Amino acid sequence: YDVGDVLSYNYPMADIVCAPFLLNYMRDEATRMAFLSKVRAALMRNGKALFVVDRPSNIDLSKFGARKIIHGTPIDGTPMTIQLYTHSGQHICDLQSYFIDLQNLEKAFSDSGFSNVTKVKPVISKEGVEKYGKQYWSGYLNDTQLEYYVCS
């Protein structure tokens, strides 16, 4: 794999680009558009890009690894804090990111050249249920505070 600044990186052609959680670190629409356009241009024919976007609802999901706090009105660019936790509940660190309006994001997907944008619902793996039990996951899928997108 390569490491680089996502906005200035010269992406090679690829079948799949995975960009989980990156979009929330781009405060404005112009920056997101520039990034999405670079990703789209790097995809081969029938290629796909995978995105995961944080969507805070002020419900404490720290037992699942993260608590998300929005600092103001939920509009594009509003600062957010994402607190990360271990499975045992120990605080790891805080990340600073930005709220994204989903209508603006979906328009940005289209404007940057993605013609097929699909929201994907998360699932809990069989291994996750076996490890933690069904009760542990109770209610999680009702509000994961995440949006998953597959774009082509």
Side-chain angles (χ1 to χ4, degrees):
Y1 64 89
D2 289 333
V3 177
D5 180 325
V6 298
L7 298 175
S8 61
Y9 185 71
N10 186 18
Y11 293 95
M13 295 302 291
D15 292 315
I16 297 175
V17 173
C18 296
F21 306 107
L22 281 176
L23 294 172
N24 286 98
Y25 293 96
M26 299 170 195
R27 185 173 196 158
D28 58 76
E29 189 173 345
T31 305
R32 283 192 301 270
M33 275 295 301
F35 172 67
L36 290 171
S37 294
K38 285 182 77 83
V39 169
R40 179 62 192 104
L43 289 177
M44 295 176 147
R45 188 167 189 258
N46 298 320
K48 295 181 180 184
L50 312 173
F51 302 98
V52 181
V53 178
D54 282 302
R55 297 289 297 168
S57 64
N58 291 323
I59 295 173
D60 184 354
L61 295 179
S62 56
K63 87 173 200 175
F64 301 112
R67 180 171 183 242
K68 298 164 190 168
I69 303 162
I70 187 163
H71 303 289
T73 305
I75 59 173
D76 259 7
T78 300
M80 299 185 330
T81 300
I82 302 169
Q83 300 172 332
L84 300 180
Y85 295 88
T86 64
H87 177 67
S88 63
Q90 181 181 356
H91 180 256
I92 300 168
C93 67
D94 290 352
L95 306 172
Q96 304 307 313
S97 64
Y98 304 99
F99 185 85
I100 301 175
D101 178 86
L102 292 185
Q103 284 184 311
N104 291 346
L105 178 60
E106 291 172 9
K107 182 180 183 314
F109 286 144
S110 176
D111 290 351
S112 60
F114 290 104
S115 58
N116 186 13
V117 176
T118 305
K119 268 190 186 181
V120 180
K121 295 223 179 255
V123 296
I124 299 168
S125 69
K126 179 182 170 187
E127 294 82 5
V129 173
E130 288 173 359
K131 183 171 183 174
Y132 298 110
K134 198 171 187 176
Q135 183 60 34
Y136 174 82
W137 298 104
S138 177
Y140 177 70
L141 291 177
N142 296 334
D143 184 4
T144 63
Q145 299 183 23
L146 300 169
E147 296 290 342
Y148 298 78
Y149 289 94
V150 176
C151 304
S152 58

